[in-house]
Amino acid sequence: RLNDFIAGFVSGEGSFFVTIYTRYQLQVQCGFSIKVRADDLELIRSIWRALNFAGNIHHIPTKRYRYRLECPLPRDPLAT
């Protein structure tokens, strides 16, 4: 199944992240990123299509591509 493949691929080749911004107000952003060799571009495009074209694919100068999906989270009212 495609969902199982994507979960396994992201688990092995991807990374998850949480970013906290506090410059003007508290903002929390989470997401994941997958970096592959240039010859695996079609694989990244397949994952991008399976996720309804969410996120972006970027070319990295070292002959690689990165797929990145970010999801802003609502502000936590208790954190103010």
Side-chain angles (χ1 to χ4, degrees):
R1 294 183 3 218
L2 183 60
N3 289 342
D4 293 336
F5 171 79
I6 293 172
F9 190 78
V10 171
S11 177
E13 299 295 327
S15 61
F16 292 86
F17 59 89
V18 176
T19 306
I20 299 172
Y21 302 98
T22 58
R23 187 166 189 186
Y24 299 110
Q25 67 177 9
L26 178 66
Q27 287 184 311
V28 179
Q29 194 172 49
C30 65
F32 73 92
S33 176
I34 306 168
K35 193 185 299 184
V36 297
R37 296 183 325 243
D39 58 344
D40 287 329
L41 175 60
E42 196 51 45
L43 176 61
I44 291 293
R45 286 182 176 155
S46 296
I47 292 172
W48 180 60
R49 283 190 294 271
L51 296 175
N52 294 320
F53 305 101
N56 297 294
I57 298 172
H58 301 279
H59 178 258
I60 299 172
T62 57
K63 297 181 182 176
R64 294 185 180 273
Y65 285 89
R66 179 179 64 207
Y67 171 70
R68 186 172 171 123
L69 174 64
E70 298 176 359
C71 304
L73 297 177
R75 196 171 139 213
D76 182 353
L78 299 177
T80 57

